[in-house]
């Protein structure tokens, strides 16, 4: 099998280099094309990534390649990932955040797991913080009350809706079908990802991964495969400042208009 992976960066060269190095170091069982797409970072992240590849500081192994693509403008998360859409020649493609770190050959593991299950078009592993704590991430379709609680946690009467959103209390130690595959780490069948048109670029930030999941669900099944793991630093910017909170709210409105409102 041929694998490909894309990391989209914006002002995070140190973190992106660590992520890329971990992907190259641990992905060994199958050929890999790694794309590093810089979204017009003003701090020189794109140039730093190019220099790391040119100098050998970021060195691909046998049957691996690294390509740095510097965009002229920041079109957002989805647009960044779609930059490589026409170049993909892989069987399985991986959408990765720059704050992902691999500790095992998780890309090969997921690709082989999906290969044995032709009905699966999208999947993700379990994710944990650097200290090993498991991350609680959405697994069901977006709903308004759950999203409000995630921004305003003091509204405790809404907690039950967030519990449903993350499937709290259910057995998540075994593989199971899900309705939301987080864009921080997602594996897709490349042919289906391309046929679906990749990400909807009208989302600048946030909820574009929920939108992509709905598109992929029209083509097959989406699964959580918790037997495979990766580290996700998870900065949660939308929970810390007003700008990202506004982008998230705007994206959520677009999502509901497109896929139907869920209270």
């Amino acid at each position: 099998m041929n694998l490909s992976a894309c990391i989209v960066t914006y002002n995070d060269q140190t973190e992106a280099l660590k992520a890329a190095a971990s992907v190259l170091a641990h992905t060994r069982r199958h050929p890999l094309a790694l794309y590093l797409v810089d979204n017009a970072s003003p701090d020189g992240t794109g140039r730093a990534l190019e220099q790391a590849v040119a100098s050998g500081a970021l060195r691909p192994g046998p049957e691996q390649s690294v390509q740095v693509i510097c965009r002229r403008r920041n079109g957002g998360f989805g647009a960044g990932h779609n930059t490589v859409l026409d170049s993909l020649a892989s069987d399985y493609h991986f959408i990765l955040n720059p704050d992902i770190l691999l500790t095992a050959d998780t890309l090969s593991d997921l690709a082989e797991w999906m290969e044995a299950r032709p009905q699966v078009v999208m999947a993700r592993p379990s994710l944990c913080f650097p200290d090993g704590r498991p991350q609680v991430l959405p697994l069901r379709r977006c709903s308004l009350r759950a999203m409000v609680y995630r921004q305003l946690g003091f509204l405790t009467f809404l907690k039950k809706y967030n519990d449903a959103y993350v499937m709290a209390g259910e057995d998540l130690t075994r593989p199971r079908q899900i309705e939301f595959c987080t864009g921080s780490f997602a594996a897709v069948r490349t042919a289906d990802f391309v046929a679906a048109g990749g990400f909807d670029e009208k989302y600048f930030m946030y909820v574009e991964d929920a939108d992509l999941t709905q598109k992929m669900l029209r083509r097959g099944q989406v699964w959580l495969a918790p037997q495979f793991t990766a580290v996700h630093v998870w900065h949660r910017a939308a929970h810390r400042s007003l700008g990202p909170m506004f982008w998230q709210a705007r994206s959520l409105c677009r999502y509901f208009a497109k896929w139907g409102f869920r209270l």
Side-chain angles (χ1 to χ4, degrees):
M1 289 184 294
N2 290 310
L3 310 182
S4 59
C6 181
I7 298 172
V8 174
T9 68
Y10 184 77
N11 287 351
D12 49 18
Q13 58 185 270
T14 300
E15 197 165 56
L17 284 169
K18 289 180 181 178
S22 79
V23 170
L24 294 173
H26 289 94
T27 307
R28 294 301 186 189
R29 298 203 300 275
H30 302 288
L32 171 69
L34 176 61
Y35 299 92
L36 305 177
V37 177
D38 181 67
N39 247 339
S41 297
D43 73 342
T45 289
R47 292 190 301 274
L49 295 177
E50 289 178 326
Q51 291 170 2
V53 173
S55 68
L58 187 62
R59 186 186 302 275
E63 296 189 295
Q64 293 181 338
S65 64
V66 181
Q67 181 179 353
V68 178
I69 301 171
C70 296
R71 290 173 54 90
R72 293 186 177 181
R73 71 178 187 89
N74 182 2
F77 179 87
H81 278 285
N82 283 356
T83 303
V84 306
L85 203 61
D86 293 337
S87 302
L88 298 180
S90 57
D91 300 296
Y92 295 92
H93 180 66
F94 294 84
I95 298 158
L96 304 174
N97 266 15
D99 58 353
I100 287 288
L101 293 171
L102 298 188
T103 58
D105 196 350
T106 306
L107 303 196
S108 297
D109 289 337
L110 267 172
E112 291 169 5
W113 186 85
M114 292 176 68
E115 182 72 5
R117 296 161 179 80
Q119 72 278 18
V120 181
V121 297
M122 189 177 196
R124 78 161 178 86
S126 63
L127 298 175
C128 66
F129 291 102
D131 62 7
R133 288 178 295 123
Q135 292 183 1
V136 179
L137 294 164
L139 296 169
R140 297 196 188 280
R141 281 187 61 183
C142 291
S143 68
L144 179 61
R145 288 177 292 199
M147 297 297 284
V148 169
Y149 175 78
R150 293 171 76 82
Q151 295 293 338
L152 305 172
F154 59 86
L155 301 177
T156 55
F157 65 93
L158 295 176
K159 181 179 182 298
K160 62 181 179 181
Y161 301 105
N162 184 66
D163 287 347
Y165 189 43
V166 300
M167 297 173 68
E170 300 190 35
D171 183 5
L172 301 179
T173 64
R174 297 181 180 181
R176 63 182 301 160
Q177 291 188 60
I178 56 177
E179 300 174 331
F180 188 152
C181 191
T182 176
S184 53
F185 192 130
V188 291
R189 285 186 192 273
T190 305
D192 288 289
F193 180 57
V194 172
F199 285 95
D200 182 342
E201 296 185 18
K202 292 182 180 178
Y203 296 91
F204 180 76
M205 279 184 72
Y206 304 112
V207 195
E208 65 275 274
D209 49 359
D211 180 273
L212 177 63
T213 305
Q214 294 307 306
K215 293 202 291 183
M216 295 298 284
L217 279 167
R218 290 186 167 186
R219 308 189 63 83
Q221 298 176 0
V222 177
W223 282 69
L224 169 69
Q227 68 272 38
F228 312 122
T229 62
V231 174
H232 179 210
V233 177
W234 201 12
H235 297 299
R236 295 173 65 93
H239 297 255
R240 296 200 312 266
S241 57
L242 292 177
M245 284 180 65
F246 169 75
W247 294 332
Q248 189 176 65
R250 185 170 60 179
S251 293
L252 192 61
C253 290
R254 174 169 180 78
Y255 176 89
F256 285 142
K258 187 174 179 179
W259 298 106
F261 182 75
R262 180 176 286 188
L263 186 59

